[in-house]
C-alpha cells in the first residue's frame, strides 16, 4: 500500500448565493503518492471545487484536508501559501504564466518566491524533458498553447512537488498537443514519482490515469481503476444519466 | 452600433470609471475656468455716474497709435491702443461751447480725481472727488445740509455712515496737491441708495476744484438734454463742436469716468486667461492619457470583436461612439460642478483682492456647453488616436493570452517629441523670460516639454526602468520581479508615470519660479533701500511738496521719494504700459541705490530705465524717448541712466514733478531718508501722521502680494487636479492587472509578496516620474532663473523642492500600493479560471 499524499476527509463546501446547493457534500477521498488520478463528473458536479479544496486554494466549510500528512484545512494565509509552494505544483487550462517574464524565469519563479536557491540543473533537465530547450528566453506570449502548457508543467515540476494539481490541462489544446501534455503528466508520475490529480471532462484524457473518481452533485459516485476510454465513457454516461 | 457601444459601456462599468472621472473633472475645470474668463470679459461697471446725461465727452482714456504700411498697392492701417491709468483732460472752455448747442439743457464740466479720505467706500471702494456741479450728472441730491462753499465738502450718504460724519464735522482730504481739512456742509445720495457701488463720492466747491485736484481741465463733460430733444441729433450736434474729444453715449458713457473709479478687470483677465490655459492643458493631457490607457486595456476585447467579424472601421466607430457617450454623460454633472468651481475661485480671488469686490460669476449656457463639447471632443479624438493602431489588431490576438497592439509608430513618437521639445527650446531661448511674459512662457515651455515626454514616454521609461529596475533587485525576489515587470511593461509604466511627471513639472515650475521671483524682488528691494536709514510713509501718501521739508531737516544727508505710476512707451507702433516711478532725489548722499549700470540719474527732462526695458526697446543713453504719462500727456525725455534693480520698483524712473502733475493720485508712496541722529523722533514730533520705519523692517509692496495669492490658488487647483489624475491612472492600471496578481499567487507568492512587488513597481514608477518631472522642471526653472539674473538654479528653494518631491512621491506610493489591497483582499485566493 503506497502512502496517501492528499487525504480529503468528509469535506463540505457550499458557495454563497446558491443557497442550499452544496458543491461538495461530505466528500472523502485519498490520493496515493506517485499515482495519476483523474477526477470526472458532469458540469457542476463539484470536481473543480474538490481540486481547489484539496490543493489548499479554497477552504472547505467543514471536514479536513491533509497534504503530505499535514493538515491544511485549518491553515491561514500566508502559511498556506508556503505549504502549497513547497509541496504542490499547478497546471491549469489557462496556463497562468507571467507574461512579462521569460520562460526560464517563469519556471524558476515559485522557487525564488519560496526564497530557496533554484535548482537550475534540475530545471534545465525538466525543460529538456518537456521539449523546451532553446526557448528559455522566449516570453509566453510568443509560444503556442501547447508550448505554454509545457512551460506550466515545467514550472510545476521544477520545484519537485509531491503532487501536481491539473485543472482541465488539455481543455484549450488540440487533440495531438493535448496528448503530448498528457504523456508528459504520465511521465511525471512514472519518471519522477510525482502524484498527479487531474480534473477533466474528457474520457480520452482520463484514460491516461491510474484511477478515475466520478463525482455527481458533490458526492463521489463511482471509481474506476486501470481505466480505458471505453470504460470511462460508459461510466460517465451512467453518472450523467442519474 | 449604438446598442453595441452602450452595451459595452454597461458591461465594463468599472473599466470606464477612470475615463468617466477624468472627463468629468476635465469638463468641470474647463467650465469653471471658462465661466471665470467669460465673467471678467463681460463684466459691466456696476453703476453709471453719468446716468442723468444724454452724452458724455471725455478726455483721452487710452493711447492710440496708428501705423500705415504700404504693401504693393494696398495700404494697411493698424490701430493699437493701450488703456491709461489716469484720465486725460478737456479744454476748460469746451463745456461753455457745448452748452450753447441746441437741445442741450446743460453741459457740466466734470472733474474727477482720487481722494484719500478717512474711510473707503463699500468693499474698500476708492473715494473720488468732484465739483458740486457733477452731482447733477447722476444725480446726487442733498439729504441734509447745503451745497459746499469754499473750504467745505459734501459727502455721499454711504461715506457719511461709514465715517460717522454729519454736517459741521471737520474732515481731512488728501489729494496730490496736499492735505486739506474741510467742513462737511451736507450729505448727498443718488436716488434710492446711499452711494454708488464701487466708488465713494465727495463734492467740493466748483471754484476750488481745479486747485485741489491739480487738473488742467475737466476730465469729462456731461451733457444733459433739454426735455424732448432728439438724442441722435443732439449727439451729432455735440460731436460737431467737440473737436477731438471722445463722444460716448448709452452704456459707453461710464468710460468717461475716472479709470481708477471703475473696477479694473485687466489684471483678472490675464490671471483667468492663464488659469484657463493651464487647466485646458492639464485637462486635455490627463484625459488623453486616461483614454489611451483605457483603450489599451481592452485590446483583448477588441480582438474578440475582430474575431466576431468586426472590421477595423467598425471598431473605430465603436470606440468613438463609446467615448462620446461616456464624455457626454460625464459632462452632465460636470457642468454644475464647474459653476461651483468658478464661484469658489471667484470668492477666494475676491478675498485676496485679485479681482474687484464687485466681481460676480455669471452662468452662461454657451460657455458651459462649450466646455462640455470640448470635453467630448477631446475624449473622442483621444479615443480615435489611441484606437488608430489598436483597431488593426489581428483577430488571432483574441486567442492568445495577452493581446498586444501592433507596435510601431516610433517614428511618429520621435517626430512629435522633437517638434515639441524644439518648440520648448525655441521659447526658452528666444522669449525674454526676464520680462512680464516670463512666467507664462516658462509654463508654455514646460507644457511643450511635457508633451515631448508623453510622446517619448515608453522609450524614456524603458531606458530609465533598466537602471532603476536594477536597483530594486537588492530588495530580493519581489524587487527583482518588480524591476523585471516594469522593464517589460514600459508602456504601462509610462502611462502611469506621465501624470506624475505632469504633476511634478507643472507645479514645481510654478512654485519655484514664483518663489524665485519673490526672492529676487525682495533682494532687489533690500539692495535698493540699503543706503537709506529709514522709510517715511504717510497714511495715504505724501504730497511731493512735503518731501522738500523732510529733506531739509538737519541731519538728513539724502532723500529719495518715489511716486508709483504707470507710463506708456511705443514699440513698432504698439503702445505698451509699464509700471514706473516718479523719482525725486535730494541731498548730497544717495538714499536709494537702483544699481545704475550706465549714466547718471537726474537732470532736467531726463529719465532712467531698467536694463530690461533698454534691451527690449534697443535704447541707448542719450536717446530721446517719447513717453505717455498716466493721463495721456506726452513728453519726450532723454535717457540719462540705465539701472538694474527694477523688480518691485518699475521699469522707468521719471521726474517726480511730471508724475505728480499727470498721475491722478500723484502722491509720494515712500521717502527713503539717509540721516544721522534723532531725525526719526523729530519727524514724528512735527508730523504725527507720518511713520518712520527703519529700512531693515520695511515691508514689501502689497500689489505683488495679490498676484502671489492668485498664483498660489492656481497651484492649489493644479495640484488637486493632477493629484486626482495620478490616483485615477494608478487605479485604472491596477484594476486591469487583477489576473496577473492572481497568477502570481498561484505561482506561490504570498499576499505579502504581491504587495511588496506592487509597492516595488510603484516605487519604480514614482522614481521614473520624478526623474522625468525633475528634468522638465530643471530645464524650465534653470532657463527662467538664468534669464532673471544670470544665475543658473535648479532647486531655487530646497524646502519647496523637497516638499514637492516628498508630496508627489507619497501620493504616487499611496496611489500605487493602495488599490492592490482592495483588489487582493486578505484571504481571497486567486480566481483561477474566471479571473479575466
Amino acid at each position: 500500500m503506497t502512502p496517501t499524499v492528499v487525504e480529503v476527509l468528509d469535506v463540505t463546501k457550499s458557495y454563497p448565493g446558491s443557497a442550499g446547493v452544496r458543491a461538495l457534500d461530505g466528500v472523502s477521498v485519498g490520493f496515493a503518492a506517485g499515482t495519476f488520478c483523474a477526477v470526472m463528473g458532469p458540469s457542476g458536479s463539484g470536481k473543480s471545487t474538490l481540486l481547489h479544496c484539496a490543493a489548499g486554494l479554497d477552504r472547505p466549510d467543514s471536514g479536513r484536508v491533509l497534504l503530505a500528512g499535514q493538515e491544511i484545512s485549518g491553515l491561514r494565509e500566508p502559511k498556506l501559501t508556503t505549504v502549497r509552494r513547497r509541496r504542490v505544483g499547478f497546471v491549469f487550462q489557462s496556463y497562468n504564466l507571467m507574461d512579462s517574464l521569460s520562460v526560464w524565469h517563469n519556471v524558476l519563479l515559485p522557487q525564488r518566491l519560496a526564497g530557496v536557491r533554484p535548482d537550475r540543473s534540475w530545471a534545465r533537465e525538466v525543460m529538456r524533458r518537456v521539449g523546451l530547450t532553446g526557448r528559455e528566453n522566449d516570453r509566453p506570449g510568443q509560444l503556442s498553447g501547447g508550448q505554454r502548457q509545457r512551460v506550466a508543467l515545467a514550472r510545476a515540476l521544477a520545484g519537485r512537488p509531491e503532487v501536481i494539481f491539473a485543472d482541465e490541462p488539455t481543455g484549450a489544446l488540440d487533440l495531438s498537443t493535448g496528448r503530448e501534455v498528457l504523456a508528459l503528466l504520465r511521465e511525471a508520475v512514472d519518471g519522477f514519482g510525482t502524484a498527479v490529480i487531474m480534473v477533466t471532462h474528457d474520457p480520452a484524457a482520463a484514460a491516461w490515469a491510474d484511477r478515475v473518481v466520478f463525482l455527481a452533485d458533490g458526492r463521489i459516485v463511482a471509481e474506476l481503476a486501470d481505466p480505458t476510454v471505453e470504460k470511462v465513457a460508459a461510466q460517465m454516461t451512467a453518472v450523467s444519466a442519474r | 452600433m449604438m446598442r453595441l457601444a452602450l452595451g459595452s459601456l454597461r458591461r465594463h462599468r468599472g473599466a470606464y470609471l477612470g475615463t468617466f472621472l477624468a472627463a468629468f473633472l476635465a469638463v468641470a475645470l474647463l467650465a469653471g475656468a471658462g465661466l471665470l474668463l467669460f465673467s471678467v470679459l463681460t463684466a459691466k461697471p456696476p453703476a453709471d455716474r453719468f446716468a442723468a446725461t444724454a452724452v458724455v465727452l471725455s478726455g483721452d482714456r487710452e493711447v492710440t497709435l496708428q501705423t500705415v504700411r504700404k504693401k504693393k498697392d494696398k495700404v494697411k492701417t493698424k490701430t493699437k491702443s493701450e488703456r491709461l491709468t489716469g484720465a486725460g483732460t478737456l479744454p476748460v472752455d469746451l463745456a461753455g461751447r457745448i452748452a450753447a448747442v441746441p437741445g442741450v439743457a446743460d453741459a457740466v464740466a466734470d472733474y474727477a480725481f482720487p481722494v484719500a479720505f478717512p474711510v473707503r467706500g463699500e468693499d474698500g471702494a476708492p473715494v473720488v472727488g468732484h465739483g458740486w456741479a457733477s452731482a447733477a450728472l447722476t444725480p446726487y441730491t442733498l439729504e441734509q445740509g447745503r451745497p459746499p462753499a469754499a473750504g467745505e465738502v459734501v459727502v455721499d450718504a454711504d461715506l457719511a455712515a461709514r465715517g460717522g460724519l454729519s454736517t459741521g464735522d471737520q474732515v481731512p482730504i488728501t489729494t496730490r496737491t496736499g492735505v486739506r481739512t474741510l467742513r462737511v456742509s451736507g450729505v448727498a445720495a443718488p436716488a434710492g441708495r446711499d452711494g454708488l457701488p464701487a466708488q465713494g463720492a465727495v463734492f467740493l466747491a466748483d471754484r476750488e476744484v481745479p486747485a485741489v485736484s491739480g487738473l488742467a481741465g475737466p476730465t469729462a463733460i456731461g451733457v444733459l438734454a433739454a426735455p424732448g430733444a432728439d438724442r441722435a441729433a443732439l449727439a451729432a450736434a455735440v460731436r460737431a463742436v467737440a473737436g477731438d474729444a471722445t463722444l460716448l453715449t448709452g452704456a459707453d458713457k461710464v468710460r468717461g469716468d475716472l479709470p481708477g473709479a471703475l473696477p479694473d478687470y485687466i489684471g483678472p483677465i490675464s490671471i483667468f486667461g492663464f488659469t484657463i490655459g493651464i487647466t485646458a492643458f492639464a485637462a486635455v493631457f490627463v484625459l488623453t492619457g486616461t483614454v489611451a490607457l483605457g483603450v489599451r486595456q481592452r485590446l483583448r476585447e477588441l480582438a474578440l470583436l475582430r474575431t466576431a467579424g468586426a472590421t477595423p472601421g467598425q471598431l473605430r466607430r465603436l470606440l468613438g461612439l463609446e467615448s462620446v457617450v461616456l464624455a457626454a454623460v460625464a459632462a452632465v454633472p460636470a457642468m454644475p460642478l464647474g459653476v461651483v468651481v468658478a464661484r469658489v475661485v471667484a470668492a477666494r480671488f475676491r478675498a485676496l483682492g485679485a479681482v474687484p469686490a464687485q466681481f460676480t460669476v455669471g452662468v452662461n449656457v454657451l460657455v458651459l456647453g462649450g466646455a462640455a463639447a470640448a470635453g467630448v471632443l477631446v475624449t473622442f479624438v483621444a479615443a480615435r488616436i489611441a484606437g488608430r493602431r489598436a483597431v488593426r489588431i489581428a483577430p488571432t490576438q483574441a486567442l492568445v493570452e495577452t493581446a498586444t497592439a501592433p507596435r510601431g509608430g516610433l517614428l511618429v513618437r520621435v517626430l512629435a517629441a522633437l517638434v515639441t521639445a524644439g518648440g520648448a527650446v525655441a521659447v526658452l531661448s528666444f522669449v525674454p523670460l526676464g520680462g512680464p511674459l516670463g512666467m507664462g512662457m516658462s509654463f508654455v515651455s514646460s507644457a511643450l516639454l511635457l508633451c515631448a515626454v508623453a510622446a517619448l514616454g515608453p522609450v524614456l521609461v524603458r531606458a530609465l526602468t533598466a537602471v532603476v529596475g536594477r536597483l530594486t533587485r537588492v530588495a530580493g525576489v519581489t524587487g527583482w520581479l518588480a524591476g523585471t515587470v516594469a522593464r517589460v511593461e514600459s508602456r504601462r509604466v509610462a502611462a502611469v508615470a506621465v501624470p506624475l511627471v505632469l504633476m511634478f513639472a507643472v507645479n514645481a515650475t510654478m512654485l519655484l519660479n514664483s518663489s524665485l521671483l519673490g526672492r529676487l524682488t525682495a533682494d532687489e528691494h533690500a539692495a535698493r533701500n540699503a543706503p537709506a536709514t529709514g522709510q517715511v510713509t504717510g497714511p495715504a501718501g505724501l504730497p511731493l511738496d512735503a518731501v522738500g521739508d523732510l529733506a531739509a531737516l538737519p541731519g538728513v544727508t539724502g532723500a529719495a521719494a518715489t511716486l508709483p505710476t504707470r507710463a506708456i512707451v511705443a514699440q513698432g507702433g504698439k503702445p505698451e504700459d509699464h509700471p514706473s516711478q516718479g523719482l525725486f532725489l535730494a541731498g548730497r548722499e544717495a538714499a536709494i541705490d537702483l544699481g545704475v549700470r550706465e549714466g547718471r540719474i537726474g537732470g532736467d527732462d531726463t529719465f532712467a530705465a531698467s536694463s530690461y526695458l533698454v534691451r527690449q526697446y534697443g535704447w541707448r543713453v542719450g536717446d530721446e524717448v517719447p513717453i505717455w504719462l498716466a493721463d495721456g500727456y506726452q513728453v519726450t525725455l532723454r535717457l540719462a541712466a540705465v539701472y538694474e534693480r527694477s523688480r518691485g520698483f518699475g521699469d522707468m524712473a521719471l521726474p517726480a514733478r511730471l508724475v505728480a502733475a499727470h498721475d491722478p493720485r500723484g502722491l509720494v508712496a515712500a521717502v527713503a531718508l539717509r540721516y544721522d541722529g534723532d531725525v526719526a523722533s523729530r519727524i514724528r514730533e512735527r508730523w504725527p501722521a507720518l511713520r518712520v520705519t527703519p529700512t531693515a523692517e520695511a515691508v514689501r509692496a502689497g500689489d505683488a502680494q495679490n498676484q502671489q495669492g492668485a498664483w498660489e490658488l492656481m497651484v492649489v487647483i493644479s495640484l488637486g487636479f493632477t493629484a486626482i489624475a495620478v490616483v485615477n491612472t494608478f487605479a485604472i492600471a491596477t484594476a486591469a492587472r487583477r489576473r496577473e496578481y492572481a497568477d502570481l499567487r498561484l505561482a506561490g507568492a504570498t499576499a505579502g509578496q504581491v504587495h511588496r512587488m506592487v509597492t516595488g513597481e510603484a516605487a519604480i514608477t514614482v522614481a521614473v516620474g520624478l526623474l522625468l518631472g525633475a528634468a522638465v522642471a530643471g530645464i524650465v526653472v534653470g532657463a527662467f532663473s538664468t534669464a532673471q539674473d544670470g544665475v543658473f538654479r535648479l532647486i531655487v528653494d530646497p524646502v519647496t523642492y523637497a516638499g514637492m518631491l516628498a508630496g508627489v512621491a507619497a501620493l504616487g506610493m499611496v496611489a500605487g500600493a493602495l488599490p492592490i489591497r482592495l483588489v487582493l483582499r486578505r484571504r481571497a485566493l486567486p480566481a483561477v479560471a474566471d479571473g479575466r
Side-chain angles (χ1 to χ4, degrees), chain A residues 57 85 96 100 113 139 148, chain B residues 401 488 743 748 753 829:
Chain A
L57 290 176
R85 71 185 172 200
N96 300 84
S100 25
L113 287 172
R139 292 249 227 93
R148 283 191 221 188
Chain B
E401 192 61 11
V488 173
D743 286 345
Q753 283 179 316
L829 269 165

Side-chain angles (χ1 to χ4, degrees), chain A residues 52 56-59 76-78 80-82 84-85 90 92 94-101 105 109-115 139 141 143 148 155 167, chain B residues 399-402 477-478 480-481 484-485 488-489 737 739-753 757 826-827 829-833 836:
Chain A
H52 290 170
L57 290 176
D58 215 341
R59 280 153 68 101
R76 298 179 144 273
E77 294 288 347
L80 196 53
T81 303
T82 58
R84 227 169 33 221
R85 71 185 172 200
F90 291 103
F92 287 107
S94 48
Y95 321 126
N96 300 84
L97 300 171
M98 292 288 292
D99 294 306
S100 25
L101 299 181
H105 285 317
L109 183 61
Q111 294 176 70
R112 301 183 102 144
L113 287 172
R139 292 249 227 93
L143 302 179
R148 283 191 221 188
R155 180 172 73 174
D167 194 351
Chain B
L399 305 176
V400 301
E401 192 61 11
T402 1
V477 62
T478 48
W480 166 78
L481 253 183
T484 311
V485 170
V488 173
E489 297 287 329
R737 299 177 63 195
R739 188 187 158 79
E740 192 183 330
Y741 301 138
D743 286 345
L744 254 183
R745 297 276 284 115
L746 212 53
T750 61
Q753 283 179 316
M757 186 199 90
R826 198 164 46 88
R827 263 186 48 225
L829 269 165
V832 181
R836 285 194 204 284

Side-chain angles (χ1 to χ4, degrees), chain A residues 100-169:
Chain A
S100 25
L101 299 181
S102 67
V103 164
W104 182 243
H105 285 317
N106 260 295
V107 169
L108 296 186
L109 183 61
Q111 294 176 70
R112 301 183 102 144
L113 287 172
V116 301
R117 197 183 182 80
D119 187 341
R120 287 165 203 273
S121 59
W122 172 244
R124 263 191 293 277
E125 170 66 14
V126 168
M127 287 286 283
R128 191 186 59 78
R129 295 262 192 117
V130 301
L132 284 173
T133 306
R135 309 304 300 261
E136 285 86 351
N137 292 324
D138 288 1
R139 292 249 227 93
Q142 295 166 289
L143 302 179
S144 70
Q147 285 171 322
R148 283 191 221 188
Q149 196 57 295
R150 285 194 243 165
V151 176
L153 192 55
R155 180 172 73 174
L157 287 171
R160 299 182 196 266
E162 285 158 72
V163 54
I164 291 176
F165 290 95
D167 194 351
E168 301 276 11

Side-chain angles (χ1 to χ4, degrees), chain B residues 446 449-450 453 464 497-509 512 765-783 792-796 801-802 804-806 808:
Chain B
S446 68
L449 283 175
L450 278 168
V453 167
L464 279 175
V498 161
L500 281 164
V501 181
L502 171 82
M503 183 177 181
F504 186 83
V506 166
N507 297 305
T509 305
L512 297 179
T765 311
V766 166
V768 165
L770 286 181
L771 275 172
L772 290 173
V776 171
I779 293 170
V780 175
V781 172
F792 181 81
R793 300 176 185 83
L794 280 182
I795 292 178
V796 177
Y801 202 87
M804 275 295 297
L805 276 181
V808 175

Side-chain angles (χ1 to χ4, degrees), chain B residues 249-261:
Chain B
T249 54
D252 285 341
K253 287 184 297 182
V254 285
R255 283 171 32 209
D257 212 342
L258 186 69

Side-chain angles (χ1 to χ4, degrees), chain A:
Chain A
M1 178 75 195
T2 43
T4 47
V5 66
V6 176
E7 184 89 60
V8 174
L9 293 168
D10 197 22
V11 162
T12 305
K13 175 82 187 172
S14 52
Y15 289 106
S18 53
V21 177
R22 285 182 167 180
L24 291 179
D25 192 3
V27 170
S28 293
V29 62
F31 299 97
T35 61
F36 191 163
C37 180
V39 178
M40 292 200 73
S43 293
S45 60
K47 54 187 193 296
S48 281
T49 308
L50 174 63
L51 187 92
H52 290 170
C53 286
L57 290 176
D58 215 341
R59 280 153 68 101
D61 295 343
S62 67
R64 298 165 62 202
V65 176
L66 289 114
L67 187 63
Q70 183 176 11
E71 165 130 22
I72 60 164
S73 36
L75 287 184
R76 298 179 144 273
E77 294 288 347
K79 179 73 183 150
L80 196 53
T81 303
T82 58
V83 170
R84 227 169 33 221
R85 71 185 172 200
R86 203 167 63 236
R87 310 222 179 251
V88 177
F90 291 103
V91 179
F92 287 107
Q93 180 176 7
S94 48
Y95 321 126
N96 300 84
L97 300 171
M98 292 288 292
D99 294 306
S100 25
L101 299 181
S102 67
V103 164
W104 182 243
H105 285 317
N106 260 295
V107 169
L108 296 186
L109 183 61
Q111 294 176 70
R112 301 183 102 144
L113 287 172
V116 301
R117 197 183 182 80
D119 187 341
R120 287 165 203 273
S121 59
W122 172 244
R124 263 191 293 277
E125 170 66 14
V126 168
M127 287 286 283
R128 191 186 59 78
R129 295 262 192 117
V130 301
L132 284 173
T133 306
R135 309 304 300 261
E136 285 86 351
N137 292 324
D138 288 1
R139 292 249 227 93
Q142 295 166 289
L143 302 179
S144 70
Q147 285 171 322
R148 283 191 221 188
Q149 196 57 295
R150 285 194 243 165
V151 176
L153 192 55
R155 180 172 73 174
L157 287 171
R160 299 182 196 266
E162 285 158 72
V163 54
I164 291 176
F165 290 95
D167 194 351
E168 301 276 11
T170 59
L173 303 177
D174 64 58
L175 215 57
S176 66
T177 319
R179 231 178 345 246
E180 283 167 34
V181 169
L182 287 165
L184 285 169
L185 283 172
R186 186 70 243 176
E187 199 193 331
V189 175
D190 300 339
F192 305 148
T194 313
V196 172
I197 300 169
M198 174 179 75
V199 163
T200 183
H201 67 274
D202 176 12
W208 287 79
D210 300 318
R211 171 182 166 222
V212 184
V213 175
F214 292 89
L215 272 155
D217 301 327
R219 293 164 193 271
I220 293 183
V221 292
E223 270 196 56
L224 211 60
D226 298 322
T228 62
V229 179
E230 293 74 24
K231 282 201 275 184
V232 175
Q235 187 65 57
M236 264 306 278
T237 316
V239 168
S240 306
R242 269 159 39 103

